[in-house]
Structures are given as C-alpha cells and as structure tokens.
Amino acid sequence: MAEAKQARPEGWMGRNIEDAWDPTVTTLDLRVQEIGDDGCGDEGCASLATVLQSPDCNVHTLQLGDTRLDRFGVTGHGNNIGAKGCYYLSTALQSDRCKVRTLCLQQNNIGAEGCYYLSTALQSDHCNVHTLNLRGNNIGDNGCAHLAKALQNDHCKVHALYLEDNKIGAEVCEHLANVLQSERCKIHTLNLEFNDIGDEGCERIATALQSPHCKVHTLHLRDNEIGNLGLQHLLLARLRRSRSRRVIDRFLAGSLLPTALFRIVL
C-alpha cells in the first residue's frame, strides 16, 4: 500500500513542498492566505532548498509571500522564513541544478541579513533569478545596499526588482543610482513605492535615469514624500534623455504634488 502524502497546511495554495519533487510542477505557490497560518518557516525553507537542488525539480517560479490584502496592498507575515530561511534558499539558488527564475518573498521579515544572503546568491553565475519581489521585508537602507552590490555584478541576472514598503530612505538611493548607471546592471523595472526617499532620493534616481547605460523603463515611486523639487529633477531627466520618457510610470500617485504637475509627468 502506497504511503499517504503529508496533509497540506490549510490555507496554502493547493500545493506543499513535496510537490516540488514532481517534475511537471514549474510554479510552486506556497503563499499564505489565511490568518493563523504560520507558513513553512525557516525549517520548511531548509527542506525546500534540498528539493530545489534536485535534477528532477523543474520549479522556475517560487511564491512564498502573503496574499492577504489591505488598502495598501499585501500585508501580513508571509511564510515567516526570516533571514535564516533566506540563507537556506540562497544555498539552493547557487546550485547549477536550481531553475528558479522568479522569486517572491513578500512579507517574510527577512531584514538586512536576509538580503545579504540573497545578494551572495545573486552574484553566483549559477543563479537564474531575474525577478525578485521583496515587498514589506523591513530590509532598510542596509539591505538595499547589499542588493545594490549584487546588481552590479556581471553574473547577476535580475532585471525586475520590487522593494515596496521596506523603510528605504534617501541615503541609499545614492548606491542605487550608481548601480543603475553601471553597464553591468540589467534592471529595467524598479518599484520603490511606500518608502521614504523624498526629494533628495528622487534627485539621485533622476540623475541615474539620464545615464546612457541606465536600462530602467518602468519606475514606481508612489507614496515617497516626493514634492515639487523631486518632480523637477524627474522632469529634467525626461527632457535631457529621450529614453527617460518611458520611465515615469504612475510614479507619484498619492503624492503631495499638485494635480496639474502630476498630469504633465503622465
């Protein structure tokens, strides 16, 4: 008699970690849906990392975030993987057998330490991640700086980065701006909504957008305390480089800017 599979946690998206062993599974969706569901935690990530390094595993999209919504978007605690869970995942991502290309870790409280581990993985020539979603992980300026270091590495393949609601300030935008101007950086989509970069951070980003090496075509900066001065910097970037005409995509919805100026940008 075949051994029964372990019961799947209630509220998960119809899959569990064991499904990663199935070679027909390419999208593994383990997002938390229900209040009271603690998710897989760091121990689950340790098991998952083992599976992802199997030659039989074909998972290329891994969802470990939180699907519960409020008026600002995703909220909650995700799978509670923390920095330790990121350490296990980063080990798998550096394996030449791991096929993960899209990694979604919203609301998992990975912090700056978790970003350090991910940054190490992203700099591996074996890492295939091109889309990284870290919304609501409290990474702060230090975590963002770790990621910036990875983004300018020749082996880093990330081209879409989502860092909404991460307590990112103006200071680290200097690191980001330098990276975006690097020939090695492949970022074309950057989401910094619900942070605190202000006019100062906006000026630094605008400077990067004018570089001939900057590949950004989609930029989200909503709810960043950006005022008229920040708007002026972005408008100048748009005027000075034709490429920049594509980069300002609903970047100031909900900002403090007058409606008339907001319409000019759009």
Side-chain angles (χ1 to χ4, degrees), residues 190-194 197 199 202 205-206 209 218-228 230-235 238 244 247-257 261-266:
L190 179 62
N191 194 325
L192 292 172
E193 293 179 338
F194 304 107
I197 71 170
D199 287 341
C202 195
I205 297 293
L209 297 177
T218 302
L219 176 65
H220 301 272
L221 296 177
R222 178 176 53 170
D223 284 313
N224 263 287
E225 299 297 324
I226 297 172
N228 290 338
L231 172 64
Q232 291 173 20
H233 291 305
L234 286 168
L235 285 175
R238 178 177 181 179
S244 297
V247 305
I248 306 172
D249 180 16
R250 68 185 185 90
F251 78 102
L252 287 173
S255 73
L256 302 177
L257 292 174
L261 293 178
F262 175 62
R263 286 175 179 167
I264 290 174
V265 176
L266 296 181

Side-chain angles (χ1 to χ4, degrees), residues 153-166:
N153 185 283
D154 286 329
H155 298 306
C156 183
K157 303 173 182 66
V158 175
H159 58 66
L161 182 61
Y162 300 87
L163 298 177
E164 310 100 297
D165 191 20
N166 265 298

Side-chain angles (χ1 to χ4, degrees), residues 5-264:
K5 286 187 176 181
Q6 181 179 356
R8 296 171 179 172
E10 182 180 357
W12 282 22
M13 304 290 286
R15 294 200 182 281
N16 61 20
I17 293 173
E18 289 182 4
D19 287 309
W21 288 106
D22 184 344
T24 66
V25 173
T26 58
T27 297
L28 189 62
D29 196 336
L30 303 178
R31 287 176 292 179
V32 173
Q33 283 190 303
E34 303 295 334
I35 295 175
D37 182 355
D38 292 329
C40 66
D42 54 32
E43 293 183 1
C45 278
S47 300
L48 183 57
T50 299
V51 183
L52 293 175
Q53 296 176 75
S54 165
D56 297 323
C57 178
N58 289 312
V59 172
H60 60 65
T61 298
L62 180 59
Q63 295 269 9
L64 285 169
D66 190 334
T67 61
R68 288 174 287 156
L69 304 177
D70 63 12
R71 64 192 181 96
F72 295 111
V74 182
T75 185
H77 57 67
N79 270 280
N80 282 317
I81 72 171
K84 192 173 182 180
C86 273
Y87 168 76
Y88 293 128
L89 288 177
S90 68
T91 300
L93 294 174
Q94 296 176 71
S95 168
D96 59 356
R97 292 177 173 177
C98 182
K99 303 175 182 68
V100 173
R101 299 195 300 269
T102 299
L103 181 61
C104 301
L105 301 177
Q106 308 97 305
Q107 304 291 335
N108 268 288
N109 197 31
I110 70 171
E113 184 181 357
C115 280
Y116 170 78
Y117 296 131
L118 287 176
S119 173
T120 300
L122 295 175
Q123 296 177 72
S124 167
D125 59 345
H126 296 306
C127 182
N128 296 304
V129 173
H130 61 62
T131 299
L132 181 61
N133 190 333
L134 296 179
R135 173 171 181 148
N137 270 290
N138 195 30
I139 70 173
D141 286 355
N142 289 336
C144 192
H146 289 316
L147 293 174
K149 179 181 178 181
L151 294 175
Q152 56 188 334
N153 185 283
D154 286 329
H155 298 306
C156 183
K157 303 173 182 66
V158 175
H159 58 66
L161 182 61
Y162 300 87
L163 298 177
E164 310 100 297
D165 191 20
N166 265 298
K167 300 183 179 178
I168 295 170
E171 185 175 349
V172 78
C173 284
E174 183 172 358
H175 293 290
L176 277 178
N178 289 335
V179 169
L180 295 176
Q181 296 176 75
S182 168
E183 292 184 73
R184 295 184 292 272
C185 180
K186 302 172 181 65
I187 292 293
H188 62 60
T189 299
L190 179 62
N191 194 325
L192 292 172
E193 293 179 338
F194 304 107
N195 282 293
D196 191 26
I197 71 170
D199 287 341
E200 183 180 354
C202 195
E203 177 182 5
R204 291 167 176 169
I205 297 293
T207 299
L209 297 177
Q210 299 174 58
S211 168
H213 301 305
C214 182
K215 303 171 183 67
V216 173
H217 61 63
T218 302
L219 176 65
H220 301 272
L221 296 177
R222 178 176 53 170
D223 284 313
N224 263 287
E225 299 297 324
I226 297 172
N228 290 338
L229 184 59
L231 172 64
Q232 291 173 20
H233 291 305
L234 286 168
L235 285 175
L236 284 174
R238 178 177 181 179
L239 291 172
R240 289 173 178 170
R241 185 155 189 83
S242 59
R243 178 194 303 238
S244 297
R245 293 179 183 176
R246 299 185 294 126
V247 305
I248 306 172
D249 180 16
R250 68 185 185 90
F251 78 102
L252 287 173
S255 73
L256 302 177
L257 292 174
T259 302
L261 293 178
F262 175 62
R263 286 175 179 167
I264 290 174

